[in-house]
Structure formats: structure tokens, C-alpha cells
Amino acid sequence: MKRAVEYIITPVIIAIFFLASCEEIIEFKGEKLEPKIVMYSLFDPDSLIAVSIGRSYSVFEEDHNPEQIPDAAVRLYRDGEFLSELEYLPLPPGYIYSGMENLSRYVAPGIRPEPGSLYRIEAGVPGLKSVWAEVQLPEPVPVTDIDTFVITGYYQVRRIGTRVRFNDPAGEDNFYRLNVSMIEGSYTGPLNEPWSDEYTVWVNREDFTGAVIDDPLLKPAGDEDIFGLSDQNHFHIFSDELIPGKEYDLNLRVFAWEKDYSYYEFIHYRIELQSISRDLFLYLRSMSLHFSSGESPFVEPVIVYSNVVNGLGIVGARICSSATLKFGEYPVDGVPYEYSSMWY
Amino acid sequence: MSIRTLISILLLNISVSIHSQMVTVSGYINDAASGERMIGATVYEKNSLAGTVSNNYGFYSLRLKRGQVDLVASFLGYEPVQVSFTVTRDTVIHFDLELSAKQLDEVTVTASMRQSKVESAQMSMIDIPVSKFIKLPVLLGESDVLKVIQLLPGVQSGTEGTTGIYVRGGGPDQNLFLIDGVPVYNASHLFGFMSVFNPDAVKSVQLYTGGFPARYGERLSSVIDIRMKEGNEKELKGNFSIGLISSKLSLEGPVIKDRTSFIISARRTYADILARPLIIWQNHVEDMNSAGGYYFYDLNAKINHKFSDRSRLFLSTYAGRDRAYFREKDSYEYYSDEEPVNYEYIDRFSLGWGNVITALRWNYLFNSKLFSNTTLTYSRYNFDITSESIRKDLISNTSSTDLFRYFSGIRDVAAKVDFDYYPAPGHSVKFGAAYTHHVFRPGVTRFKYDQGTGAAAIDTTFGDAKIFANEFIAYGEDNFDLTPRLKINAGLRLALFNVEDTSYLSLQPRISMRFMVTDNFSLKASFSRMAQFVHLLTTSAISLPTDLWLPVTQRFGPPLSNQVAIGSGFRLPWNLEMTVEAFYKTMENLIEYKEGASFSGTGSGWESKVEQGRGWSYGAEFLIEKTVGKTTGWVGYTISRSDRQFANLNFGRVFPAKYDRRHDVSIAITHKFSDRIDLGAVWVYGTGNAATLGIMKYPADNFMYNYVYSYNDITEYVSRNNYRTPSYHRFDIGVNLHKQKKNGIRTWNFSVYNLYNRRNPFFIFWDSQYEMIPDPANPGSYTFESSTVLKKVSLFPVIPSVSYSFKF
């Protein structure tokens, strides 16, 4: 479809526009706004409660230089009762830019969210209006079965087809995110010689791999619509709108044949079906669409969803159910492993 | 005046008509050259000044006193015909009007020449003369009915160059397009840049923006009633034209002279044909095997037969389709582990949409006072998109397929009967009933993946459900002179819509009044309540074929509107007429996509993607028109405001509608220099469109496990449609050069769109601007300084075009 878009629709529209669109600077005649507190938090029963705090800035701040906000007051409430004041977690020394410095991290040591409780986070930053948001953990939806089969695709590339089965709970709206993380090991020595422990197996981990999701529930993940707007679902989220209360098999494909297991290479996939809160679903979906369509003249700009009252951002929740596909052994005694810089 | 008084007068009126010594003169008004029935022609009796107007089928009926009558029939641009006789009983008189020898340039205008806006009880209605709109300058040489309608007061255009219309603050789904009385669901070709109405086949265009007569309904904001030609009864005629985008051919003529005639009109774009040699060349150069293109075509055909003066049958059809397609074939042959491998890959893509409309219509005249029209109609719109990849293993003779297909559509089958009854002088009644069976296919999505190895294939279909709906309509409208100065059109429309387990009954009262203050000045008022039983799901600024029509549901009931309008009409010197109208319209049960929701390839579950809200608009419209003489045209001005409020959009706050525009001005002029040269010019001005413009930014978090992908910061828009783009204006000019040839008249049209090259905003966006600053520390070198700037993108600069047509 992508080529068709390139070859037909885009040229038609370009032809209509007579190859004549031109840009010109115009004067901005609107009002400028005060910054707001930006607050993010993801409640996960397997993680400590943490909150990220930032601030919004004017579009005219071309040289906007985000700074840590160490003096925010972040308070946690559970079922209406004060639970804890969160502590600022400074960036580690020698921290290298990755975008994290846009947000300041606050943590509640030793506190993990519990199912059935309603949590509220309040945050205040000097000079900005205070904000708050509430969240509750969703019910977990277990993966009931996982099934694999071999697929030979184009150019004889073989992949492992995988069906991930789950039962959508009836009588309620449910929201999901599919995550396939991967750990792989690659032998660093010559493959045409016998294995030697003088060479390491280099281990890398990725949160989302090159798994191909064939499933229509997750379309158009990685696909384009007819106007070439791509990746409308790049967080791999879906709702039970099409499968309310039904058993369903998600379809995906993973690589497995590139490794030489005689050299202790391996590849392990962790397939995670996350049950996520509605607010988080709306945030991820609108953010995905926001970045897909933000500058397209053909669609209305998408305002990113927020449940932070008086502010921006999202306080959401997830609970995971997972299954693992293992190709090759790891770890193996006596095999020297070396870990990539992303391994922490 | 109390209702009791009103009813008494009405009954008296009817009673008098029954018992007095009146007779009925009736008949048809035809074009003498072609036999075409003339819509809206005037017939009046000179002495009593009793008059009427021919209906949509050219029929008139007039109640007159016995005795000497001088009956005059007239129509704009035609020589009036007068018949004098003594009438003693009901009489049938048909008029054949001939084009004025002097055509439009020196015609003496009389008040009764045409149904003057000053005199008509109807308000908020504009009759668009086809002969005029084809003389106005056009974009890329393609005349378009809807682009002329955009120039009228109360109508806002959508995206530049497109045919979208927004009437009195309404949305794009609130316009009812009728071809010969049959609804058209998608009136766009070429992604909205051209309409489906081929001007060569159009006979008349009427636009209603308010004061809706009871015979119209089903949309909140406007009715565009387009009547197609019937075909020349006298001789074979034709017309062909060649433009930059499309070519057209029309043929019309008698099958049996004066009894059976036909018209067939077709057009097609040819960019795909012209591009074919280039594609072949590209395939040759790049060793490829691919083909692709885009085209649309449409066809209007009509045949009618007169069984007698009382009975006439019409069969008409419209079929149009847009199609984009692409296919590519490739093959690979190599050895893998000394085994030969030979694959062939085929990729196919197609996108198509179109309407098919058919109507079988029977006009029957029961007697000189009762005219009937019975119609059976079929209307279908469908859209489909298919993408398929096939891999064939030519050695093992197996193949794998990866298929995506989506299609949606709507189909109507309807039967209706309409009556025109003329009981008394100055009194006519229209009534009728209709039944429509709707079948909605909101969207069927099929995914198929078959690897061809015998393993189980994935073959999933979603949304394969039809929704059936039944719609019953009954209406009655009474058009009568309550006093010689006060004319009233009062009506009631009853609609019952049933879909699945839900039924909606809607009573829609309508009333329009005209009071003649003087012979040249009238005051008018109207009220109309409208309901529509379909929703349009649309996400875009232009008309996309993916726009989806869906029926109302229990949760999302029918959109409703109430509109009041007051106005006046003036007859001014130099054959000018001026109308002024003010309106206030409320709209309920409007739907819009939720924030973050969009077309996702399936119509099922759409209710969870939309929000329901309300809207309102108000404004004033001014129109000065000149319809006769060498120079004709109009000046229109609209001042208006249109807002929306949805509980869950824009945080519940009121926001301007997408095409809310404070000021709209249009000037459209044609001037005839001679039989060989005429000129058209258009100037338009509009306040800038509402746009959603980000003013702040903030960091994103996508909640990945270990690190944040480096997405750009999120743009915070604060509010929907929070900003105004710069104003829109442009000037177009065109000239038509006609020459009489041996077998007909050839016309060259030269047009220039946007003559002074105004860079009108299509959309605006933020961008970074870099400036070179001399570096004082290093003379001769520079540093870069960046700043955020607001930019506008413009589409159409000055665009000349040429087209050629030949009429024979």
C-alpha cells in the first residue's frame, strides 16, 4: 500500500495543488500562556510508585533548555488518606542526554500500588498552579496459551509465527498494550572456528523488538493509511471493542533462525499482555495520533489526552501477564557474557 | 391574527374556490427549440395580475374568472408569449417559449418576467441560472455547480479549490444534494476538488439555506436541488469540450419526435492515459513492470416518453466512479544452496468510490388542478480499498497471499408520490409521501494472510454487518395569499425513522411569510425545524471517500435544527434586486470524533469514538442581484458566527466551528460584449478560517521500560480552533470567445484563477528560522541563531487555464 500511496494518491494531490504550494512567514497574533506542571506516573504492581514532574514552555522558546525541578512537592494518597511525600531522585552523575532530563523523577520508597485501591497524586511547583490526578490498577488478563508455528516469508526469511491467547473479561471495557521484549546473545568470535571461551557472547536487550504484528486488532501498527500517515498505533495498544468478552488469539511473528546455538547464541522473547487503564490507553493513542498527524493538513490536530487536573501529562496504570519464547540457552555456566550499554 | 382567524380565512379561501364561477387554465411551458420543460417560468393574467410559476416539471395551473383573458408566459432570456382568448371552461394552454433574439442584452424587464425574490414567499432560496455559472471563471477550466454555490451569501467554502460547502454554520453532512430528487451521498470527485454534477447535463439548480418548504427534509442546513435536462425533443444536439483535467461529451435528441427524447452526458479525466507512455518509459529505463493511475468518470443518461399530454415517463440514471490503482510485478531468480529459486511478486492496490443513482418517474395529470409525480428511486454509494501482495514460487508452483480489503457503503431504495394541487387563484397545495429502505454497510474489513504452505491461513473479517433502516415521510404545504399583500407558505413534515429496535418520530413545522409593503419592497419571515437520520463520520478538512454514513442509533439520536429567519426584498433601479436576511439556527445531537479517535478501517463500534454536542449559528446576509441585461451577476456579503459545544471535547468549553467565518464577501459578474465575446469575473473575501494552533510544548513520556525514545515534545493546543488564519481573498477572470462554425458554435475559454496571486493560507504551522550572525570573535565567519516562526502554506497561485468546447 505504501508504494501505491507514493505513486498514486500523493501525486494526484500534488498535481491538484499544481506543484505550487509555497510557504511564507506570517505574524502570530495570539496570546501567550503561562507554563503548566507536567506530571507522569505509571502504576505497576511490580514497581515502586514514581512520578515524573516537568513543565510546559512556550513555542517561542526555541532554545528551551529543560532543567530538573528538585523542589516540587509531590504527595501520594490512597483511598483518600495521605500515604507519603515523594522524594526527588537526582539524575545520576555523568548522565548522558536521553530526554529524561526534561522530567524530574520523584519516588515513594517501598510503596507499590495495590489492586482495588484508588490512588491520588498531588504536585506543586513554586510559581505554577498545583495539579492532581487519580488512578486505579486494572484487573489482570492472563495469557492462557501460546502457540508457535513456522512461517516462510518473502526472500525465504523464516520466522516463528506466534498466537497469544487470552480471554477478554465480559461486561466491562478493557484496554491492552502488547509488548514484546527481547534478550539476545551473539557470539563475538569467528563462527567458522570452534567455540572458544576467549570470546564473549554479547548480550543485548530491547524493550520492543522487530516482532511483526500481523494482528488486525493492532492494525495499523507500522502501517500507513491512504494518505501516508504512518504508525498510527506505534504503542501497540488496542481495546476490546471488536472482541468484547471473547477469547482471542493475537498473531505475531518473531525471528529465530539467525542464531547459531552451537556457539551459545540465544534469543529470548518475553511477550507481555498488559492490561492498562483507560486513561493510559487514551493518552497513548492520542499521543500516537498526535505525532502521526500533527503537521498534516488533512487531519485535525490531535490534542493529547490528559487526566492531570490543572496540568498536563498522564497518571496511568498497567498490570502485566506474560509468556516467554526461548531459542537457545541462557545463561549457561562457563560462557563469558558481555552486556550492552543499554543493559541496566 | 389568531390561529382561528387564520384557519377561517384559509377555509374560506378553499370554499370560495369550490363554489365560485372560476375556471382553470393549465398546461406546460416548454423551450420551443428543445422541447425541455421550463422550471420556474411565470404565467400571469395581465388584467387580474393573477399569476403562478411552473413546477419542477414545467406544469402550471391557474384559476381565473370566466371571460376575456390575456395570458402571458415568460422566462428569463426568452421572448414572452401572450395568448388572448375568452375562457368559458377549464382550458389547457401549452406555451413554447423561444430564446430572445436579443438574448439577455436588451430584454425589457417586467416585474412578472420571473418569480421575483421580492414577491416570492420563499426566502433563503437562490435559483442559480445555469447559463450564468458556466460563464464564470473557473479553476483549471472546469465549471462546477458547487463552486458557484460557494460564492453565495450564507455559504462558506471549505478547503480552497474543493467543492465542500458549509451553510449557515452547518457541517458538511448537513447538505442534501438531490439529482432529480434522488439523494447523492458523496458529491465529490477527485478527493473533493470537483463535484459529481456535470454542468452539461444540468438544467436548473436551486439552493435552499433556510425557510425550507415541507417537501424537503433529511438534512439540517441546506438543500441543493439539481434537475437534469430531459433531452431535446426536436433535433439531435451535442456538445463536447476538452479541458485540462477532463473531457466531456453530451448528446441529446428525439427518439420519436415530440414524444420521446434522450440525453446522455459523460466525462472522464485522462491523466492516467496521458501518463501511460511515461510509465512505460520508466519501466523500460528502470527494468520494472508497474502501472498505476487515477481517473474518474461519470455518466448521466435520461430518456423520457410522452404517452399523452397527461402522462409522461422518465427514466434517468447517474453513475460515477473514482479509481486509483497501482500494480507491480517483479521476479527473482537465483540459486540458494545450489537449489534454483524463482519467485514472482505481484503487488496490487486499488482505491475506488462512486455513486449510482436511478430514478423512474411518472408524471400524471389527473385534471387541470391536480398534478402528480410518482417516483421509484435507487441510490448507492460505495467505497472500497484493496491491497494485495502475492508471492508465487514458480518452481514449487505454490503461492502466498497477504490481503487487506475494506469496503463500506449505503444503499437506498425509495418510492414516493408528490402532488401539486391548485384549488384557487393564489392558492396552491403540495403534498406527498415517501418510503425509503436504507441499507448501511458501515465498514467491512478483511485481512488475509496465507503463506501457501498448507499451514492454517489467517483470514479475518470484521464489521461484516448490514444495518437496515426504514424511513417514512409525509408532508403537506399550503402556499396561499392570505391578503393581496400577505402570502404564506405553511407546511408540516412528518418523518418516522426506524432502525433496528429504535424508532424516531419527527414533526417538522415550516412556515414562510411575505408581506408586500410596496410593489418594490417586501418583508419576510420564516421558521423551519429540520431533522436528519444519518450521521457522517468524517475526520478531515477535505471530502475523503472514507467518510462514513451511519444511521442514527438509540444513543446518538437524530440531529435537529430550528432556524428562524427574517428578511426583506427590495427592487432597486437598474434592474437590481436586493435581499437582506438575518438568521438564528440551533443544532442539537451533532457528533464529532472524540479527541484522539479517527477512522480506523471499521465502522463497527463507532459510537465509542464519537461525542455528541450542540451548535448554534447566527448572522446576516446581503445580496444584490442583477439577472438581466448585458451585465449580470451579484454582490453578496455575510456576517455570521458559528459555535459548537461538546461535553467531552475542548474540556466542555464552547469553540468555533471549523468553518466559522465572520465576514464573507463575493462579487460575481458576467458581461456580454457581443455574441462573440463575454467575460466573467469573481472576487471573494473571507475572514480567516479557525485553526487549532499549538502555543505550548511539553515533554512526552511513552512509558517504555528502560529508556525514553527521543520523541519530540508534545504540542499543547489549549483549545480547539483557537486561532485565525490570515484572511482569504482572490480575483478570477475569464473570457469566452464564441464563433459560429458551419456545424455549430465553438467556444474557447481562457481563465485566470487568482489573478493577483494572493497567497491564501491553506494551513499554518510553526517552523524554525535560522539566521546567520557575523561572529565577532572570528571575523569572516558566522554563527546561526534560530527562532520559532509561524508559517502559512498556500496552494493555488495565479493559474491560467484554457478549455475548448463545441456545441452542435
Side-chain angles (χ1 to χ4, degrees):
Chain A
M1 189 183 295
K2 183 180 173 184
R3 293 205 66 182
V5 169
E6 285 172 3
Y7 280 81
I8 306 167
I9 298 168
T10 307
V12 165
I13 291 172
I14 288 171
I16 291 164
F17 293 170
F18 216 64
L19 300 170
S21 65
C22 67
E23 293 178 5
E24 195 176 274
I25 293 173
I26 56 174
E27 186 188 351
F28 173 71
K29 294 181 178 174
E31 59 173 322
K32 293 176 182 174
L33 300 171
E34 294 300 314
K36 290 181 178 178
I37 293 176
V38 180
M39 181 165 78
Y40 290 108
S41 183
L42 179 58
F43 280 57
D44 183 332
D46 296 332
S47 304
L48 298 176
I49 292 175
V51 175
S52 299
I53 298 290
R55 74 170 77 201
S56 64
Y57 61 96
S58 163
V59 289
F60 291 104
E61 287 184 51
E62 179 73 23
D63 54 352
H64 172 69
N65 191 15
E67 291 178 352
Q68 287 286 294
I69 304 173
D71 54 350
V74 185
R75 295 185 183 86
L76 176 68
Y77 297 83
R78 183 171 63 200
D79 296 324
E81 290 184 5
F82 177 73
L83 197 62
S84 172
E85 175 117 9
L86 276 68
E87 297 171 7
Y88 172 62
L89 190 68
L91 289 174
Y95 177 79
I96 300 168
Y97 176 85
S98 73
M100 287 291 283
E101 64 272 27
N102 293 342
L103 296 165
S104 305
R105 199 90 170 139
Y106 286 78
V107 293
I111 303 177
R112 294 174 194 272
E114 296 167 5
S117 291
L118 177 68
Y119 291 87
R120 176 186 170 102
I121 299 175
E122 294 180 355
V125 172
L128 302 180
K129 198 170 180 179
S130 295
V131 301
W132 62 270
E134 290 182 337
V135 66
Q136 198 164 13
L137 285 176
E139 290 294 317
V141 177
V143 173
T144 55
D145 192 21
I146 189 161
D147 180 25
T148 58
F149 52 95
V150 176
I151 296 172
T152 304
Y154 285 178
Y155 310 106
Q156 287 193 310
V157 172
R158 288 186 294 175
R159 287 189 175 186
I160 299 293
T162 308
R163 291 196 184 98
V164 181
R165 179 167 297 171
F166 67 100
N167 283 294
D168 178 68
E172 58 189 80
D173 292 336
N174 298 291
F175 305 92
Y176 301 94
R177 182 178 185 181
L178 182 69
N179 194 73
V180 184
S181 60
M182 176 192 78
I183 304 171
E184 64 169 341
S186 302
Y187 180 59
T188 55
L191 292 175
N192 53 356
E193 293 177 13
W195 178 82
S196 164
D197 60 5
E198 289 179 11
Y199 297 99
T200 58
V201 172
W202 188 80
V203 181
N204 184 38
R205 169 172 163 173
E206 287 187 17
D207 276 349
F208 196 85
T209 70
V212 176
I213 295 178
D214 293 318
D215 201 276
L217 278 188
L218 284 146
K219 291 280 182 182
D223 206 345
E224 292 180 327
D225 72 2
I226 59 170
F227 281 91
L229 302 177
S230 61
D231 255 346
Q232 290 193 9
N233 189 8
H234 45 296
F235 299 124
H236 305 98
I237 52 174
F238 60 98
S239 74
D240 63 353
E241 181 186 313
L242 294 168
I243 51 162
K246 293 178 183 168
E247 183 179 78
Y248 191 75
D249 288 341
L250 284 166
N251 285 279
L252 58 143
R253 285 176 275 164
V254 296
F255 286 101
W257 309 101
E258 287 70 20
K259 300 297 176 190
D260 191 330
Y261 304 114
S262 62
Y263 289 88
Y264 299 104
E265 292 189 330
F266 68 92
I267 186 164
H268 292 184
Y269 290 96
R270 177 180 157 91
I271 298 165
E272 224 174 56
L273 181 67
Q274 301 175 4
S275 182
I276 62 175
S277 63
R278 180 177 177 274
D279 286 337
L280 180 59
F281 175 81
L282 293 176
Y283 168 76
L284 291 173
R285 188 176 64 178
S286 59
M287 181 167 67
S288 182
L289 289 164
H290 176 86
F291 286 120
S292 301
S293 62
E295 293 185 0
S296 168
F298 299 111
V299 294
E300 183 72 21
V302 178
I303 299 173
V304 174
Y305 179 80
S306 172
N307 64 348
V308 178
V309 178
N310 299 326
L312 299 162
I314 201 78
V315 174
R318 73 165 172 224
I319 192 160
C320 301
S321 172
S322 64
T324 305
L325 291 175
K326 292 185 177 179
F327 304 97
E329 291 297 315
Y330 167 79
V332 177
D333 289 342
V335 176
Y337 292 103
E338 181 186 4
Y339 294 91
S340 77
S341 60
M342 299 307 296
W343 188 270
Y344 60 90
Chain B
M1 181 182 294
S2 69
I3 291 176
R4 183 180 293 180
T5 313
L6 192 73
I7 293 169
S8 302
I9 293 171
L10 181 60
L11 292 175
L12 181 67
N13 220 347
I14 295 168
S15 170
V16 167
S17 72
I18 292 167
H19 298 292
S20 66
Q21 293 299 305
M22 304 290 282
V23 292
T24 301
V25 178
S26 63
Y28 291 96
I29 305 175
N30 308 307
D31 179 314
S34 65
E36 284 274 346
R37 295 280 158 83
M38 302 177 77
I39 301 169
T42 302
V43 181
Y44 77 107
E45 203 284 313
K46 279 178 86 172
N47 307 307
S48 63
L49 289 179
T52 190
V53 177
S54 60
N55 70 7
N56 280 338
Y57 306 95
F59 176 74
Y60 77 94
S61 176
L62 197 56
R63 292 282 283 164
L64 297 171
K65 284 184 183 171
R66 294 174 196 273
Q68 177 66 30
V69 296
D70 298 311
L71 206 57
V72 179
S74 60
F75 192 77
L76 187 65
Y78 286 75
E79 291 286 359
V81 172
Q82 178 174 329
V83 182
S84 300
F85 56 99
T86 301
V87 61
T88 57
R89 56 181 179 175
D90 289 354
T91 304
V92 174
I93 304 279
H94 301 313
F95 288 96
D96 290 333
L97 303 189
E98 292 187 351
L99 268 176
S100 167
K102 297 171 184 173
Q103 292 260 341
L104 300 175
D105 45 353
E106 291 174 19
V107 176
T108 305
V109 185
T110 64
S112 54
M113 194 85 202
R114 54 193 285 271
Q115 177 73 349
S116 161
K117 284 195 173 61
V118 178
E119 292 163 349
S120 169
Q122 178 64 51
M123 64 186 304
S124 311
M125 191 277 273
I126 297 175
D127 218 330
I128 301 156
V130 176
S131 60
K132 286 291 179 290
F133 84 67
I134 58 175
K135 289 180 178 171
L136 289 172
V138 286
L139 176 62
L140 297 170
E142 298 286 340
S143 299
D144 200 297
V145 173
L146 298 188
K147 287 181 182 171
V148 175
I149 286 176
Q150 289 173 346
L151 301 173
L152 298 169
V155 181
Q156 268 92 45
S157 56
T159 306
E160 183 178 19
T162 68
T163 56
I165 63 171
Y166 299 78
V167 177
R168 289 187 170 175
D173 56 327
Q174 296 174 10
N175 307 308
L176 178 65
F177 297 98
L178 296 170
I179 290 184
D180 280 341
V182 188
V184 180
Y185 283 96
N186 187 323
S188 296
H189 279 313
L190 202 53
F191 303 100
F193 286 89
M194 290 175 72
S195 79
V196 299
F197 309 112
N198 180 350
D200 285 354
V202 171
K203 177 177 174 180
S204 74
V205 182
Q206 289 178 326
L207 166 72
Y208 295 82
T209 58
F212 299 98
R215 60 186 178 275
Y216 294 119
E218 320 326 314
R219 298 292 186 278
L220 300 192
S221 290
S222 79
V223 176
I224 294 102
D225 189 356
I226 295 175
R227 300 279 157 174
M228 311 308 275
K229 290 176 182 170
E230 287 147 17
N232 195 311
E233 290 183 350
K234 311 291 182 188
E235 56 185 329
L236 188 66
K237 291 282 184 183
N239 182 32
F240 75 85
S241 64
I242 299 169
L244 294 178
I245 292 180
S246 69
S247 283
K248 292 174 277 196
L249 174 67
S250 287
L251 281 174
E252 57 181 316
V255 178
I256 303 168
K257 197 173 179 184
D258 293 329
R259 290 194 82 82
T260 309
S261 64
F262 77 95
I263 179 167
I264 184 162
S265 239
R267 63 177 169 170
R268 191 192 190 280
T269 58
Y270 32 66
D272 58 322
I273 297 168
L274 296 178
R276 224 168 261 171
L278 287 174
I279 291 169
I280 292 168
W281 174 78
Q282 189 187 19
N283 285 339
H284 176 72
V285 169
E286 298 186 11
D287 195 23
M288 292 164 57
N289 186 354
S290 64
Y294 168 85
Y295 65 86
F296 77 74
Y297 68 83
D298 56 35
L299 173 82
N300 290 276
K302 198 169 186 178
I303 186 164
N304 74 89
H305 177 73
K306 272 190 234 173
F307 295 102
S308 67
D309 279 348
R310 285 172 172 268
S311 176
R312 189 172 187 179
L313 192 69
F314 303 79
L315 176 64
S316 60
T317 190
Y318 164 86
R321 188 150 185 86
D322 288 60
R323 185 164 180 259
Y325 62 94
F326 175 77
R327 56 179 174 270
E328 185 177 37
K329 195 153 87 170
D330 213 342
S331 60
Y332 295 90
E333 192 171 0
Y334 56 95
Y335 282 86
S336 173
D337 298 333
E338 298 185 351
E339 289 292 320
V341 175
N342 191 352
Y343 283 128
E344 183 179 86
Y345 297 93
I346 301 167
D347 287 314
R348 294 192 191 114
F349 168 83
S350 74
L351 169 71
W353 68 97
N355 298 281
V356 173
I357 288 165
T358 302
L360 180 65
R361 177 174 291 107
W362 179 44
N363 286 175
Y364 185 72
L365 189 62
F366 285 94
N367 55 52
S368 59
K369 289 189 281 190
L370 185 61
F371 177 90
S372 73
N373 178 48
T374 306
T375 316
L376 299 174
T377 69
Y378 173 84
S379 178
R380 189 190 77 195
Y381 169 71
N382 62 19
F383 163 72
D384 64 81
I385 182 167
T386 304
S387 173
E388 186 179 30
S389 296
I390 299 169
R391 186 201 59 182
K392 289 182 181 171
D393 185 334
L394 299 178
I395 293 174
S396 66
N397 206 23
T398 58
S399 66
S400 68
T401 304
D402 195 348
L403 171 80
F404 164 85
R405 185 164 185 232
Y406 168 83
F407 57 98
S408 66
I410 179 169
R411 190 184 69 203
D412 290 354
V413 177
K416 62 176 181 172
V417 60
D418 304 282
F419 295 95
D420 288 7
Y421 179 55
Y422 304 87
H427 186 195
S428 63
V429 177
K430 291 180 190 289
F431 58 97
Y435 165 74
T436 305
H437 179 69
H438 301 274
V439 181
F440 297 88
R441 278 199 110 173
V444 183
T445 308
R446 183 180 171 209
F447 299 93
K448 183 182 175 187
Y449 181 72
D450 181 355
Q451 57 180 311
T453 58
I458 298 165
D459 194 345
T460 313
T461 300
F462 290 123
D464 191 8
K466 292 177 182 172
I467 302 172
F468 300 96
N470 298 294
E471 187 173 3
F472 303 88
I473 300 291
Y475 72 88
E477 60 178 81
D478 197 347
N479 194 35
F480 58 96
D481 296 338
L482 197 61
T483 72
R485 291 194 175 275
L486 180 60
K487 193 178 186 74
I488 292 179
N489 185 314
L492 183 67
R493 186 177 180 90
L494 175 75
L496 174 66
F497 190 87
N498 163 262
V499 57
E500 294 174 342
D501 298 332
T502 308
S503 292
Y504 286 100
L505 178 66
S506 169
L507 276 174
Q508 301 163 41
R510 317 279 175 82
I511 186 163
S512 295
M513 290 180 282
R514 179 272 285 150
F515 182 75
M516 291 298 296
V517 180
T518 70
D519 286 349
N520 292 317
F521 173 42
S522 63
L523 293 174
K524 298 184 183 186
S526 70
F527 168 81
S528 47
R529 181 174 174 80
M530 304 288 276
Q532 74 177 61
F533 299 98
V534 285
H535 296 292
L536 180 68
L537 287 187
T538 179
T539 51
S540 173
I542 60 173
S543 171
L544 290 180
T546 51
D547 292 351
L548 207 57
W549 287 101
L550 292 158
V552 294
T553 63
Q554 204 160 27
R555 188 169 158 198
F556 293 105
L560 303 168
S561 74
N562 291 304
Q563 184 178 174
V564 289
I566 53 170
S568 64
F570 309 86
R571 202 174 279 125
L572 302 172
W574 306 297
N575 297 324
L576 294 172
E577 262 187 14
M578 179 174 177
T579 53
V580 181
E581 292 191 10
F583 68 92
Y584 181 80
K585 179 163 73 175
T586 60
M587 294 164 279
E588 298 163 40
N589 298 342
L590 304 179
I591 63 165
E592 291 230 8
Y593 269 116
K594 283 181 177 174
E595 283 163 350
S598 71
F599 167 76
S600 66
T602 172
S604 58
W606 65 272
E607 286 180 297
S608 64
K609 297 177 185 173
V610 299
E611 298 286 357
Q612 194 161 31
R614 64 196 188 104
W616 55 91
S617 58
Y618 51 89
E621 299 160 3
F622 304 82
L623 177 68
I624 300 175
E625 254 187 308
K626 185 170 185 291
T627 53
V628 292
K630 284 184 176 176
T631 305
T632 60
W634 66 85
V635 177
Y637 170 66
T638 306
I639 178 168
S640 65
R641 183 185 177 100
S642 181
D643 290 319
R644 299 283 187 273
Q645 187 173 31
F646 288 68
N648 296 316
L649 290 183
N650 199 41
F651 314 107
R653 296 194 297 255
V654 174
F655 61 92
K658 177 81 182 161
Y659 289 96
D660 168 51
R661 210 174 286 163
R662 203 66 62 245
H663 305 282
D664 249 307
V665 180
S666 60
I667 301 173
I669 304 284
T670 61
H671 182 77
K672 185 174 178 181
F673 291 98
S674 69
D675 286 344
R676 296 187 61 174
I677 302 177
D678 57 67
L679 181 141
V682 167
W683 185 75
V684 291
Y685 170 88
T687 306
N689 282 335
T692 307
L693 184 69
I695 298 171
M696 301 179 84
K697 292 197 169 194
Y698 64 98
D701 191 342
N702 66 357
F703 301 115
M704 299 305 287
Y705 280 98
N706 295 326
Y707 56 94
V708 176
Y709 282 127
S710 54
Y711 285 110
N712 294 327
D713 284 351
I714 293 169
T715 302
E716 167 64 356
Y717 294 100
V718 181
S719 172
R720 189 177 271 225
N721 296 335
N722 59 333
Y723 194 75
R724 288 279 159 186
T725 63
S727 58
Y728 178 96
H729 53 92
R730 63 162 217 273
F731 178 65
D732 311 331
I733 192 162
V735 62
N736 293 297
L737 305 176
H738 312 282
K739 190 170 186 182
Q740 182 71 51
K741 296 286 200 181
K742 188 179 173 186
N743 297 316
I745 299 170
R746 72 105 175 98
T747 300
W748 281 102
N749 171 274
F750 299 94
S751 291
V752 183
Y753 181 89
N754 194 8
L755 183 68
Y756 57 76
N757 197 24
R758 160 74 179 174
R759 291 178 177 178
N760 286 304
F762 174 54
F763 67 94
I764 56 175
F765 69 103
W766 296 108
D767 202 5
S768 293
Q769 186 186 32
Y770 298 94
E771 196 178 349
M772 288 174 68
I773 309 287
D775 185 354
N778 299 296
S781 61
Y782 294 86
T783 58
F784 287 92
E785 201 165 89
S786 68
S787 59
T788 302
V789 291
L790 186 60
K791 285 185 174 176
K792 71 174 177 184
V793 171
S794 307
L795 288 187
F796 298 106
V798 53
I799 298 177
S801 63
V802 60
S803 65
Y804 173 87
S805 62
F806 191 83
K807 199 169 184 178
F808 54 94

